Amino acid sequence: MHIAEGFLPAGHAAGWTIAAAPFVVHGARAVVKEVRENPESTMLLGAAGAFTFVLSAIKLPSVTGSSSHPTGTGPGAILFRPPVMALLGTVVLLFQALLLAHGGLTTLGANAFAFAVVGPWAGYGAYRLARAAGAGLLPAVFAAVALADLATYVTTSLQLALAFPDAESGFAGALLKFLGVFAVTQIPLAIGEGLLGVLLFRVLTVNARPELERLGVLKPAPLATTGGAA
Amino acid sequence: MTRRTLVNALLLLAVVALFAVPLLLDGGTSEYGGTDAAVTEELEAEGYTPWFDPLFSPAGEVESGLFALQAALGGGVLGYVLGRLRGRRTATPAAATGAGEQ
């Protein structure tokens, strides 16, 4: 999903930067507020940032014969709501743009919009919808984490199609072409990432129950009736 | 091994299989080039020239080292937090969870 440095026309690069900036600034304030009001959140906040840091560094093979990387923005969006991930995701992209020549500064806005704004919001939306429809925590986590991954790559395809419409088939043709490169390759990765998200939340529900209850992910003490456990 | 540990191990195994099985079935015929690079190559082939170059471009081996560093930082912090959370629970039995998983 990284659009390489200099690969978006200047107008598009500027437009996406302007579009992403308020989300990132709002996200920075959300992170500061969370840490200040709930210092005990810092550990889980670190875990959410670390999850996207490690997953977005790992390039995985896909059934299409190409490789791509997951995004890891879903769990943080579920735990701390999407604005927090707007900042954490952008930090990851900045690290990669500056040190790895992966992505770029001119395309940081577009990449942040896909990776740190649309992905987390899509995942969070899926999570809330699934929970409202009565799904359990883990199925909702799977849907959210997988969709946050996939939505990022769909957004990148949209951005590229807007910038480079096909000479004959226009925007729609270009969109199909870029979706063919990104989205299809991404499907197995999104499933794998969803499973990893489920694994993470299985570990957290056992070991971080107080935090998950405070964040509203778990209802307080649903296991209180399991007598004899202690 | 508790049922919880078994399910966690199976989940991890499923993730590994999801990526290992296509690799094995394909028998080395695919290049597994990155999708990001595929798009830039295609755009360049159509005549687009990037108008801005990365400020710093690590050479091949350095680049993979820096990617490994990124993964190591993320994995390290994640492992530290999960380890601390687990240590906190096991150090104060029944206080935090009350679930019968110990």
Side-chain angles (χ1 to χ4, degrees):
Chain A
M1 50 68 54
H2 294 79
I3 302 175
E5 184 77 284
F7 267 87
L8 276 185
H12 286 257
W16 288 113
T17 304
I18 293 167
F23 287 96
V24 179
V25 172
H26 177 232
R29 295 175 61 164
V31 170
V32 171
K33 184 162 175 269
E34 182 71 34
V35 172
R36 194 171 285 161
E37 290 176 5
N38 302 297
E40 68 276 18
S41 287
T42 315
M43 290 260 283
L44 273 190
L45 210 52
F51 193 76
T52 180
F53 221 67
V54 61
L55 282 195
S56 63
I58 298 176
K59 293 168 186 171
L60 293 162
S62 177
V63 283
T64 54
S66 304
S67 63
S68 186
H69 61 83
T71 61
T73 53
I78 295 170
L79 289 170
F80 295 104
R81 304 192 69 253
V84 165
M85 293 317 291
L87 178 75
L88 298 184
T90 304
V91 170
V92 173
L93 292 173
L94 198 60
F95 178 95
Q96 295 180 324
L98 291 176
L99 289 180
L100 301 167
H102 206 63
L105 295 176
T106 60
T107 51
L108 183 64
N111 290 334
F113 200 85
F115 181 90
V117 176
V118 174
W121 276 106
Y124 182 71
Y127 171 78
R128 291 301 296 265
L129 276 178
R131 291 313 297 264
L137 173 65
L138 295 180
V141 165
F142 177 82
V145 175
L147 200 71
D149 179 323
L150 208 55
T152 298
Y153 282 80
V154 170
T155 307
T156 302
S157 306
L158 276 168
Q159 292 169 328
L160 285 167
L162 278 173
F164 302 101
D166 194 78
E168 286 142 32
S169 52
F171 170 77
L175 180 60
L176 277 181
K177 180 181 73 180
F178 290 120
L179 281 174
V181 177
F182 282 122
V184 179
T185 298
Q186 203 63 23
I187 290 170
L189 273 76
I191 294 170
E193 181 172 355
L195 293 176
L196 278 182
V198 169
L199 184 59
L200 177 70
F201 272 80
R202 284 175 62 87
V203 173
L204 289 180
T205 49
V206 173
N207 293 311
R209 180 165 280 276
E211 283 85 357
L212 295 193
E213 286 174 1
R214 191 184 57 71
L215 292 165
V217 173
L218 286 178
K219 288 203 185 78
L223 294 170
T225 51
T226 38
Chain B
M1 190 187 276
T2 63
R3 190 181 132 83
R4 171 162 284 274
T5 321
L6 183 69
V7 173
N8 285 350
L10 286 176
L11 269 173
L12 204 57
L13 202 65
V15 175
V16 173
L18 190 62
F19 300 108
V21 168
L23 268 185
L24 293 174
L25 290 181
D26 147 310
T29 49
S30 297
E31 296 272 335
Y32 292 104
T35 49
D36 290 340
V39 165
T40 51
E41 278 165 23
E42 197 170 317
L43 291 177
E44 280 187 316
E46 287 171 13
Y48 184 85
T49 22
W51 56 278
F52 196 82
D53 289 324
L55 301 175
F56 166 72
S57 286
E61 293 300 312
V62 180
E63 185 188 343
S64 52
L66 286 169
F67 264 109
L69 178 70
Q70 188 195 332
L73 284 172
V77 171
L78 191 60
Y80 172 80
V81 171
L82 294 181
R84 273 199 65 166
L85 290 172
R86 183 183 151 78
R88 182 186 69 181
R89 173 175 64 85
T90 48
T92 53
T97 70
E101 304 290 350
Q102 276 88 344

